[in-house]
Amino acid sequence: MKYLMQKLIIENYSSIDKKRCLYQRNQAEPCRICQDHCPSEAISLTKSCVEIDEEVCKGCGICKSTCPSQAITLKEFGEEKNLQNLNPNEVVLIGCKQETSEGNILFPCLNGLHKEYLVILMLLMKGKRIYFNVSQCENCYIEKGCHYFIQALTKAETVINGLGMDANISLIYHKEDLPSYTTQVMSRRELFTLFKDGSVHMTLDATSSILGKNNVKDFRTRNLLVDMLKEENDLNKEAPHHFESLFTTWSLDSKCNGCGLCEAVCPWKAWQIERSDEVNISHHARRCRSCTLCHELCPQKAINKDAFSLNLLAGAAVKTTIPLVKCHNCNKKYVQKTSEQQLCNTCSKRKKLKKSVI
């Protein structure tokens, strides 16, 4: 009955936050990762945006897990709900919602699990074994194999090992090897409650559609992950290289002129620029999703990867400070590129234009 309700009521399709989509933020070299990896070919690229065909989308979440800027979410993928349903005192068998798959924690597809989410699962189940049912993956009609999931799981295990912990992960490839686990038995009262809740869910969705409102809850794992890492580690100690698969920090060399393009293009506002008597450029490692857009688009090629340390998760870190001088013509403060430059960029352009006209 749960499977029936899922098919009739739940609309499990991807949605894209256009402000964070790299395809729209960099038209010169547009990102096509979601389209390239979509197994149902539900994603198309237009001149202006990325479009997802809701009728074709199977809700597997592969686009979500592979998106470099984490701009894609799924309305009913179940991350938050399943975290609440975890019971460390019982066997945890994680599977998918396909008809022949088994598990007491189910997702639409294991390939849609992001590496950050997998780290959170392991931290919550610290000391307990987590079983993943991949016995049906090779025969899956959505995506044969679980290679996206294995890639994310490998990176998550690396982070857990870097914390000095054992990941305690078991992959079940054969159905006869599945461990014994408890499932919820549904009473008649619970069955009617399920239909009632489903009707309310459908009504709310219809109302939201009519009114033009988006009530989709945007469940993000980054803040939860950082808070859990704070509990496990001293942020003042150096982080091993294991964390580089999750977090990225950048350095600015002497070529930086404070143009502000990094702040403008960053999908998650990880760069912050403050101007007073000088230009202070800071970077938030906690916000950064490692999309590398700032590095690729920097006109001066002044942004480079730097060594990550856990204390960078505490807040913004100043990467460079550039002094400002006053323009001799308009008194506007500007970054002086050379000692011979006495005018700001605007006045310099006007002077050159005037000279060319004369």
Side-chain angles (χ1 to χ4, degrees):
M1 297 309 300
K2 283 187 177 181
Y3 178 80
L4 175 63
M5 291 298 297
Q6 175 198 351
K7 294 299 181 182
L8 291 177
I9 297 174
I10 296 179
E11 298 177 349
N12 186 39
Y13 51 81
S14 302
S15 61
I16 298 179
D17 186 339
K18 295 181 180 180
K19 294 181 180 178
R20 293 178 174 134
C21 177
L22 299 187
Y23 178 80
Q24 296 186 237
R25 299 186 77 88
N26 183 14
Q27 287 293 324
E29 297 180 7
C31 174
R32 303 174 183 273
I33 291 178
C34 59
Q35 183 189 50
D36 293 340
H37 294 311
C38 179
S40 56
E41 298 183 356
I43 300 177
S44 59
L45 307 178
T46 66
K47 291 183 179 180
S48 59
C49 65
V50 178
E51 295 181 350
I52 300 178
D53 190 336
E54 298 174 2
E55 298 297 325
V56 179
C57 177
K58 297 176 181 177
C60 63
I62 291 177
C63 57
K64 175 178 72 69
S65 64
T66 57
C67 176
S69 63
Q70 297 185 28
I72 302 178
T73 56
L74 267 79
K75 183 176 181 180
E76 296 289 348
F77 199 77
E79 291 106 322
E80 185 177 17
K81 180 181 178 181
N82 283 332
L83 286 182
Q84 296 171 351
N85 291 337
L86 279 178
N87 188 348
N89 298 321
E90 297 180 357
V91 172
V92 174
L93 177 61
I94 299 178
C96 65
K97 292 183 178 179
Q98 305 311 312
E99 292 181 75
T100 57
S101 182
E102 295 185 36
N104 49 10
I105 299 292
L106 299 176
F107 294 94
C109 180
L110 295 182
N111 284 316
L113 293 176
H114 195 272
K115 55 189 176 183
E116 289 183 359
Y117 188 80
L118 291 171
V119 172
I120 292 174
L121 282 175
M122 295 178 198
L123 290 175
L124 286 174
M125 296 293 293
K126 182 170 58 176
K128 302 290 183 179
R129 183 159 296 277
I130 303 177
Y131 297 91
F132 289 94
N133 182 6
V134 296
S135 60
Q136 303 299 314
C137 291
E138 289 300 325
N139 301 318
C140 181
Y141 74 97
I142 295 178
E143 176 73 8
K144 294 189 181 299
C146 53
H147 45 277
Y148 295 109
F149 166 66
I150 296 298
Q151 291 175 8
L153 185 63
T154 301
K155 293 178 180 177
E157 286 184 283
T158 302
V159 173
I160 294 297
N161 293 333
L163 294 172
M165 300 166 52
D166 185 2
N168 272 334
I169 295 298
S170 290
L171 299 182
I172 310 299
Y173 289 95
H174 304 288
K175 197 169 183 179
E176 57 269 20
D177 296 331
L178 291 174
S180 299
Y181 63 96
T182 58
T183 56
Q184 181 182 0
V185 179
M186 185 175 295
S187 65
R188 181 175 178 178
R189 181 185 297 274
E190 290 172 333
L191 176 63
F192 282 109
T193 301
L194 177 64
F195 275 99
K196 178 182 176 182
D197 292 342
S199 301
V200 173
H201 180 91
M202 183 184 295
T203 304
L204 289 175
D205 279 354
T207 305
S208 300
S209 176
I210 294 171
L211 297 178
K213 296 179 180 180
N214 184 10
N215 291 327
V216 177
K217 185 173 182 181
D218 186 10
F219 176 70
R220 299 285 178 179
T221 58
R222 177 57 61 98
N223 290 336
L224 176 59
L225 174 60
V226 172
D227 291 339
M228 296 182 72
L229 289 176
K230 284 181 179 179
E231 295 179 3
E232 296 290 336
N233 279 270
D234 179 8
L235 293 187
N236 293 319
K237 73 176 185 179
E238 287 297 315
H241 67 279
H242 306 82
F243 288 90
E244 294 177 0
S245 63
L246 289 180
F247 304 103
T248 302
T249 186
W250 304 91
S251 63
L252 294 174
D253 58 32
S254 58
K255 297 191 294 290
C256 177
N257 61 3
C259 69
L261 184 65
C262 55
E263 181 183 45
V265 301
C266 181
W268 288 93
K269 306 299 180 185
W271 288 101
Q272 181 178 346
I273 299 180
E274 297 178 351
R275 301 175 185 270
S276 54
D277 294 332
E278 55 190 13
V279 178
N280 289 314
I281 305 180
S282 304
H283 182 259
H284 293 254
R286 180 172 184 155
R287 298 178 184 176
C288 180
R289 263 54 175 188
S290 310
C291 69
T292 72
L293 191 61
C294 58
H295 170 73
E296 296 170 6
L297 296 183
C298 178
Q300 310 302 323
K301 301 301 178 184
I303 302 177
N304 303 288
K305 279 192 176 182
D306 201 3
F308 176 75
S309 59
L310 286 171
N311 63 336
L312 294 173
L313 297 177
V318 177
K319 296 299 178 178
T320 190
T321 300
I322 306 173
L324 294 174
V325 297
K326 283 189 177 181
C327 174
H328 284 225
N329 184 40
C330 66
N331 289 327
K332 179 182 177 181
K333 293 181 179 180
Y334 70 100
V335 176
Q336 191 177 40
K337 297 180 181 178
T338 62
S339 57
E340 292 79 17
Q341 182 184 2
Q342 301 298 320
L343 301 177
C344 66
N345 292 336
T346 303
C347 292
S348 296
K349 290 178 181 179
R350 287 176 179 173
K351 184 178 179 180
K352 289 180 181 178
L353 180 60
K354 183 177 179 181
K355 184 176 180 180
S356 64
V357 171
I358 294 175

